[in-house]
Amino acid sequence: MGLPGEKALVYPPRPELLPAAHIPSLSHYQRMYQRSVEAPHEFWGDIAKEFYWKSQPTGPFLNYNFDVTKGKIFIEWMKGATTNICYNVLDRNVNEKKLGDKIAFYWEGNEPGDSAKITYRELLHKVCQFANVLRSQGLKKGDRVSIYLPMIVELAVAMLACARIGALHSIVFAGFSADSLCERILDCSCSLLITADAFYRGDKLVNLKQIADEAIQKCVDKGFSLKKCIVVKHLCREEVGAAGTCSKSPPQKKLCQEVQEKKTESSKRLRPKTPWNPAIDMWWHELMSGASTECEPEWCDAEDGLFILYTSGSTGKPKGVLHTTGGYMIFAATSFKYVFDYQPEDVYWCTADIGWITGHSYITYGPLANGATGVLFEGVPTYPDVGRMWSVVDKYKVTKFYTAPTAIRMLMKYGEEPVKKHSRKSLKVLGTVGEPINPEAWLWYHRVVGEERCPIVDTFWQTETGGHMLTPLPAATPTKPGSATFPFFGVVPAILNDSGQELEGEAEGFLVFKQPWPGIMRTVYGKHQQFETIYFQKFPGYYLTGDGCRRDKDGYYWITGRIDDMLNVSGHLLSTAEVESALVEHPAVAEAAVVSHPHPLKGECLYCFVTLREGYELSQDLTDELKKQGSNRQMLGSRQGEHR
Ligand code: WT7
């Protein structure tokens, strides 16, 4: 983070980007920005015209209350207008923009050489088929569907199919534990779960269906029985035959054989076959075979729910962030277009998992809304070696690349050689997200990865904001390493002191936003009171981010980190309360206190203090057990090197 008084390095935008850039200068940005905040209905109204609407808003374009002292908090953009986001990102591109033959996704499997591609038309057909499957299972508008899948094409298909029929998807990152999945299924009482048999992440096999089954059992124990579960046969895909969706390439086959072979070994983790409960389980490929490739979308109100996505909360329980249809659509699409300076010939790669908001907005909805070609990557940056990212960049000639500071810091450890072994000459813009990027990592990213040729966009935002809030624009903003620079269109930041006064000029304090942007969350699912308390109570009239922030003398914003009980480990937001409550569930623990500590690679790490109950002694075994217990609520063990 930049410190006051530090000699500021400023990197001007690259001239070679200028001729084609959407926003070729700072003054151009400033003009557009002014209009976006002074006349949001006009600014976003013009953008909305590029999308397909079945009908127009029946009331005001924007209506809201941000002030708890004046009544209920609400935000409505284009209420009464009807549309369908799936129609806009697929049918509109295929039919109106004639992009049917354009690649929507290159799928790159965990195993190098295991790959597939899918065009916009093919994706539309798959999505229609699966939307028909969902309808035939009785799913309808407003129902919730949990999706617990690895990074495979079916994940995008499943989420878009939900959107097509107006069902809300609740995607749960496939690295989460059975406890976390159970908690998320219960919170929004899902009618259906979509999962897969198993997958490899690096050299680690994850028996996803087994974990899903554990979660379903935990739900039963808590009095909730899930009705249906659809299972993608992914790892042993070649058994599926013609109805399967992806390639049946040799490496995948090899993996499958390996699994078959390992299955005969005594290892307990490798079960002989996918556990199956005929009362609720159904194979994806069986349901898909014969399903029609045409499906009338459900026309939804702009303010109808699109998805729920859980994020850690400082109270200890994850919050179901609810995003709605119309505003989210235009915000994800517009931020993608400008922040990456999207051009039709781009190949864009965001290394996040779709299970995080970054993947929702900047793998699926934003890029597809622009008709972009994206890379969907199943693996990890270190498998089979630490040059994997750059080999994928070269393989697909990636032009715009988006990753997390934790991944950059991890790769930095291995030096320049694994990067330089690959050409990377296709790269034009490099993005980062998830946590503050230290200037050292920023400079390495810029100098080594981008060879000083690629502007860096350090994008600050949150699950709750739906899209970018503070960010440079590649051809317009002079950047400073470690600063997320200036607000995106429609975003009005302010810095408040403890007593809620707005600070002008150079200042440090609470980062808040003063007026709604189209992508802002609308509520915490089923808990509107919580939504008001967490985000609007402390400073009436403002949306509270929970982050500290400094504005320097040039007006640049620098995020200084969380100022609540949240911490950021490798770009993953955790709450101390969440880990504390997991620890005290252990019979040996009487009390627990968790604090954050700086960590050179992960940004932050946890220090956990526990008081043991009578009769327990601290041993290595108990320590290991407690470590497991603490992380069980979230992830399956250590996820170093993974990122969103
Ligand atoms: C928190 C939100 C937005 C997608 C990933 C995170 C931190 C995020 C930055 C950045 C400094 C950042 C903040 C924020 N954060 N991006 N560029 N610079 N901090 O989503 O899990 O909702 O976490 O991540 O602390 O509040 P999330």
Side-chain angles (χ1 to χ4, degrees):
M1 261 154 281
L3 299 169
E6 171 185 286
K7 191 169 174 295
L9 293 165
V10 180
Y11 291 80
R14 303 293 303 177
E16 55 270 38
L17 283 172
L18 300 187
H22 294 298
I23 302 175
S25 69
L26 196 60
S27 57
H28 193 123
Y29 154 74
Q30 284 158 342
R31 270 199 313 279
M32 278 178 77
Y33 175 76
Q34 223 51 44
R35 181 166 179 255
S36 77
V37 298
E38 281 165 10
H41 49 290
E42 283 174 23
F43 182 89
W44 295 108
D46 284 351
I47 288 170
K49 285 189 194 119
E50 292 165 30
F51 292 82
Y52 178 80
W53 302 87
K54 190 83 177 168
S55 66
Q56 293 302 311
T58 47
F61 191 82
L62 165 64
N63 196 11
Y64 75 100
N65 173 39
F66 251 28
D67 188 341
V68 274
T69 64
K70 296 196 178 131
K72 188 179 169 206
I73 301 292
F74 72 95
I75 304 114
E76 292 168 352
W77 288 86
M78 300 169 281
K79 193 166 167 63
T82 50
T83 187
N84 183 285
I85 192 168
C86 175
Y87 183 92
N88 271 286
V89 306
L90 295 179
D91 308 59
R92 189 176 57 106
N93 281 324
V94 172
N95 301 330
E96 222 175 276
K97 310 233 174 227
K98 308 290 172 225
L99 296 176
D101 296 324
K102 190 171 177 183
I103 303 289
F105 290 117
Y106 289 111
W107 179 75
E108 172 76 7
N110 179 64
E111 208 60 33
D114 194 8
S115 51
K117 52 189 174 197
I118 186 162
T119 64
Y120 272 86
R121 185 175 298 104
E122 289 164 343
L123 185 58
L124 171 62
H125 287 167
K126 292 274 174 233
V127 168
C128 285
Q129 282 187 298
F130 196 63
N132 286 324
V133 166
L134 291 175
R135 277 197 179 137
S136 72
Q137 293 300 319
L139 268 279
K140 51 182 194 323
K141 187 172 156 189
D143 289 345
R144 280 82 53 215
V145 175
S146 283
I147 304 180
Y148 186 55
L149 284 173
M151 284 286 282
I152 55 179
V153 173
E154 286 85 350
L155 174 49
V157 171
M159 72 196 290
L160 290 166
C162 287
R164 193 167 190 91
I165 66 163
L168 280 73
H169 53 75
S170 161
I171 303 184
V172 181
F173 172 52
F176 275 136
S177 63
D179 280 313
S180 302
L181 176 59
C182 162
E183 196 169 29
R184 286 157 175 75
I185 291 174
L186 290 177
D187 187 80
C188 62
S189 42
C190 287
S191 322
L192 186 140
L193 171 69
I194 304 165
T195 188
D197 52 355
F199 67 101
Y200 269 96
R201 219 164 153 73
D203 51 17
K204 184 177 153 217
L205 177 67
V206 180
N207 281 320
L208 202 65
K209 178 60 166 54
Q210 191 178 42
I211 304 166
D213 282 1
E214 277 171 40
I216 294 170
Q217 185 54 46
K218 283 172 192 283
C219 291
V220 171
D221 296 345
K222 295 187 176 171
F224 180 84
S225 45
L226 190 86
K227 301 276 178 313
K228 291 159 194 275
C229 178
I230 299 179
V231 187
V232 177
K233 187 168 264 188
H234 171 55
L235 198 59
C236 297
R237 204 176 273 275
E238 70 269 28
E239 292 171 7
V240 167
T245 52
C246 284
S247 74
K248 290 172 270 166
S249 63
Q252 182 86 44
K253 196 167 256 164
K254 193 175 135 262
L255 261 181
C256 199
Q257 278 161 3
E258 277 171 20
V259 177
Q260 305 281 6
E261 280 159 22
K262 281 187 204 161
K263 278 177 191 168
T264 59
E265 293 167 16
S266 58
S267 165
K268 288 207 188 71
R269 256 185 69 220
L270 300 160
R271 296 148 295 109
K273 62 180 177 30
T274 309
W276 203 254
N277 174 1
I280 64 167
D281 292 342
M282 293 165 281
W283 284 115
W284 169 291
H285 58 275
E286 289 180 5
L287 296 170
M288 287 287 270
S289 74
S292 163
T293 56
E294 275 171 36
C295 175
E296 175 68 11
E298 183 77 35
W299 299 106
C300 299
D301 193 288
E303 282 303 335
D304 277 342
L306 172 62
F307 65 83
I308 301 165
L309 183 58
Y310 288 86
T311 182
S312 289
S314 51
T315 54
K317 286 267 171 221
K319 304 167 282 196
V321 170
L322 181 95
H323 282 286
T324 56
T325 304
Y328 175 82
M329 173 170 80
I330 61 175
F331 197 65
T334 308
S335 48
F336 174 77
K337 171 178 166 182
Y338 291 121
V339 171
F340 296 103
D341 191 37
Y342 170 69
Q343 304 291 336
E345 64 281 3
D346 275 334
V347 177
Y348 162 83
W349 181 22
C350 166
T351 69
D353 193 288
I354 288 181
W356 307 109
I357 190 68
T358 308
H360 282 60
S361 301
Y362 301 114
I363 295 181
T364 306
Y365 291 115
L368 293 180
N370 284 276
T373 294
V375 176
L376 198 63
F377 178 48
E378 186 190 21
V380 292
T382 47
Y383 180 83
D385 58 59
V386 295
R388 182 71 189 276
M389 301 266 232
W390 323 120
S391 101
V392 174
V393 164
D394 283 356
K395 178 170 176 185
Y396 298 107
K397 308 271 178 299
V398 171
T399 53
K400 312 279 162 84
F401 179 74
Y402 196 24
T403 196
T406 188
I408 300 165
R409 286 195 296 265
M410 197 257 304
L411 294 175
M412 261 172 90
K413 237 182 23 181
Y414 299 96
E416 300 182 9
E417 208 252 303
V419 188
K420 294 201 162 152
K421 263 201 342 231
H422 303 273
S423 145
R424 291 159 289 114
K425 68 173 191 298
S426 56
L427 288 174
K428 290 185 176 155
V429 175
L430 302 174
T432 126
V433 59
E435 56 191 304
I437 181 163
N438 47 315
E440 195 195 356
W442 195 104
L443 290 167
W444 190 84
Y445 198 27
H446 185 252
R447 185 176 55 80
V448 181
V449 177
E451 293 175 325
E452 299 184 3
R453 171 185 86 239
C454 307
I456 294 200
V457 288
D458 173 2
T459 60
F460 166 83
W461 57 296
Q462 307 177 301
T463 305
E464 294 89 335
T465 70
H468 301 139
M469 300 304 282
L470 302 173
T471 176
L473 302 176
T477 316
T479 48
K480 298 185 185 186
S483 167
T485 73
F486 303 127
F488 185 67
F489 301 133
V491 174
V492 186
I495 296 180
L496 305 186
N497 64 12
D498 278 335
S499 38
Q501 283 155 332
E502 278 189 37
L503 304 174
E504 302 297 328
E506 264 188 276
E508 185 164 343
F510 296 89
L511 177 67
V512 296
F513 296 112
K514 294 172 68 165
Q515 63 188 49
W517 57 98
I520 185 178
M521 72 185 288
R522 303 302 198 258
T523 192
V524 172
Y525 185 76
K527 299 186 180 108
H528 195 72
Q529 183 62 50
Q530 222 186 67
F531 172 62
E532 298 192 347
T533 313
I534 299 171
Y535 304 99
F536 294 96
Q537 194 75 55
K538 190 174 171 74
F539 300 121
Y542 300 94
Y543 166 89
L544 181 72
T545 59
D547 284 289
C549 183
R550 185 172 68 82
R551 190 170 42 225
D552 71 14
K553 63 178 187 334
D554 303 319
Y556 282 67
Y557 289 88
W558 303 74
I559 302 296
T560 55
R562 300 291 304 192
I563 35 132
D564 47 16
D565 289 334
M566 306 293 290
L567 57 151
N568 199 319
V569 180
S570 299
H572 297 298
L573 213 54
L574 291 174
S575 81
T576 50
E578 198 171 9
V579 182
E580 284 161 3
S581 71
L583 285 171
V584 295
E585 276 171 24
H586 192 283
V589 177
E591 282 182 299
V594 173
V595 294
S596 153
H597 185 77
H599 187 279
L601 283 181
K602 301 177 181 193
E604 288 177 86
C605 66
L606 299 173
Y607 270 50
C608 305
F609 299 87
V610 293
T611 317
L612 296 181
R613 287 183 191 280
E614 285 286 323
Y616 286 93
E617 294 241 337
L618 196 65
S619 63
Q620 189 56 49
D621 281 356
L622 182 58
T623 312
D624 292 346
E625 240 177 76
L626 293 180
K627 277 188 185 165
K628 210 172 141 223
Q629 176 95 10
S631 57
N632 195 30
R633 293 293 286 267
Q634 286 275 322
M635 313 286 186
L636 304 166
S638 158
R639 312 210 60 91
Q640 190 186 319
E642 289 192 19
H643 46 280
R644 27 188 89 203

